[in-house]
Amino acid sequence: AFLDLTGHNKLEGIWKGSTVLPCTYVPVKDFVQQTLTWTVLRDQSSGTVFRRDDSGDHVLLSEYRDRVSVLKDTPGNVSLHILNLEVSDRGTYTCQVTWKASNNTLMAKEITTKVEVVKVAATKPIIRASELGPTFPAGARTSLTCVANGSPPISYRWFKSVPGGKALLLSSQAELAWDSLQPSDTGKYYCEAENR
């Protein structure tokens, strides 16, 4: 497999998240990369998302401006990084690389990746403690962090259950921290994760 591109033929990205469309090759010493282009075919429209040539890096479709990039000093890795995925980003992406051989002939290869963008509900959160809990000495500093996956942004809320009453809302951050734990902090804590 001489100067072959490798990648994925299908990829699922999470709405509002980021993704990487892999496109890599093993550099060969007498072949110099001349151009890299990433194009997209969506429904009936197509266009060039990203182009790298002698004059630098260019994002040619305005809806991708400030959202796409290719790593700079990684020979052979020309994967496309996309931030803040929109549903409209779904389509078929083609990575095309041309190389110039030492005898000045040109060679080109391309691979395609079909991209789907999915909306993912927040998962049931897990709680991580800064130290091994669940029992801590009085006066200790500690924190609990609520962690969930899904389409960003994810918002978090922390509650403490009150005997015979409604749960008490403590925080709207992912992390609940104590500088100095008191015996009165003993109790049952809950976290909630929510997205759109």
Side-chain angles (χ1 to χ4, degrees), residues 66-88:
D66 302 324
R67 291 200 298 127
V68 297
S69 61
V70 173
L71 291 175
K72 279 225 167 19
D73 303 308
T74 54
N77 185 349
V78 288
S79 305
L80 186 70
H81 296 243
I82 308 179
L83 301 174
N84 200 15
L85 276 170
E86 294 295 346
V87 174
S88 57

Side-chain angles (χ1 to χ4, degrees), residues 4-136:
D4 262 344
L5 299 177
T6 51
H8 293 332
N9 43 14
K10 269 184 100 167
L11 204 133
E12 233 176 44
I14 293 181
W15 181 58
K16 298 291 180 191
S18 58
T19 192
V20 178
L21 279 52
C23 184
T24 59
Y25 64 89
V26 177
V28 174
K29 83 167 171 44
D30 290 330
F31 284 78
V32 178
Q33 182 179 311
Q34 290 291 293
T35 58
L36 159 70
T37 52
W38 275 97
T39 53
V40 65
L41 176 64
R42 292 180 303 212
D43 301 326
Q44 261 55 67
S45 70
S46 67
T48 300
V49 176
F50 180 93
R51 181 178 165 90
R52 173 174 287 172
D53 55 29
D54 295 346
S55 66
D57 290 357
H58 313 279
V59 177
L60 289 104
L61 286 175
S62 60
E63 63 265 39
Y64 290 95
R65 201 145 290 150
D66 302 324
R67 291 200 298 127
V68 297
S69 61
V70 173
L71 291 175
K72 279 225 167 19
D73 303 308
T74 54
N77 185 349
V78 288
S79 305
L80 186 70
H81 296 243
I82 308 179
L83 301 174
N84 200 15
L85 276 170
E86 294 295 346
V87 174
S88 57
D89 291 339
R90 65 167 172 235
T92 302
Y93 290 75
T94 300
C95 171
Q96 189 195 54
V97 180
T98 60
W99 298 270
K100 195 180 200 172
S102 45
N103 63 2
N104 278 343
T105 57
L106 288 176
M107 187 172 86
K109 289 276 171 80
E110 62 179 47
I111 57 164
T112 61
T113 304
K114 191 172 192 273
V115 175
E116 266 307 327
V117 177
V118 292
K119 296 185 177 185
V120 179
T123 57
K124 184 182 167 86
I126 59 168
I127 295 174
R128 295 206 179 119
S130 58
E131 280 85 42
L132 293 170
T135 308
F136 302 96

Side-chain angles (χ1 to χ4, degrees), residues 123-189:
T123 57
K124 184 182 167 86
I126 59 168
I127 295 174
R128 295 206 179 119
S130 58
E131 280 85 42
L132 293 170
T135 308
F136 302 96
R141 285 179 75 122
T142 193
S143 67
L144 297 173
T145 306
C146 195
V147 185
N149 294 312
S151 299
I154 298 177
S155 61
Y156 296 97
R157 294 195 299 173
W158 276 101
F159 298 93
K160 183 181 183 182
S161 67
V162 180
K166 269 186 71 174
L168 192 67
L169 175 66
L170 300 174
S171 163
S172 298
Q173 304 290 322
E175 187 187 47
L176 190 60
W178 292 267
D179 283 335
S180 175
L181 281 166
Q182 301 306 314
S184 58
D185 292 321
T186 298
K188 234 181 186 178
Y189 291 83

